[in-house]
Amino acid sequence: VLLRLLDTGSLASVRAFAAAVLREEPRLDVLVNNAGVTGLPFAITSEGLEQTFATNYLGPFLLTNLLLG
């Protein structure tokens, strides 16, 4: 079991994380997307996305799709 941390609210962080996993691990058997935020004040990420939407939906969706191969 490996624990790796990333910021799912940053698509650049998600892309870097996925690239590192694909480079360093021969295979991936299980992916647990267990992240979420609520109650944050409205904010825009550096990529121009609403922070809560990016963290809860876009980041995990992108991560899963990048790791599918």
Side-chain angles (χ1 to χ4, degrees):
V1 174
L2 296 174
L3 172 65
R4 296 176 184 229
L5 304 177
L6 77 144
D7 177 5
T8 59
S10 165
L11 301 185
S13 175
V14 171
R15 285 187 173 91
F17 175 90
V21 169
L22 292 172
R23 182 179 59 251
E24 297 167 10
E25 302 301 327
R27 68 183 222 207
L28 177 66
D29 295 316
V30 176
L31 173 66
V32 178
N33 283 324
N34 186 24
V37 294
T38 186
L40 295 178
F42 180 82
I44 300 295
T45 67
S46 62
E47 293 148 329
L49 304 167
E50 196 278 319
Q51 182 178 7
T52 302
F53 184 60
T55 301
N56 292 348
Y57 299 101
L58 298 178
F61 179 81
L62 177 61
L63 176 62
T64 300
N65 280 282
L66 290 173
L67 293 177
L68 283 174

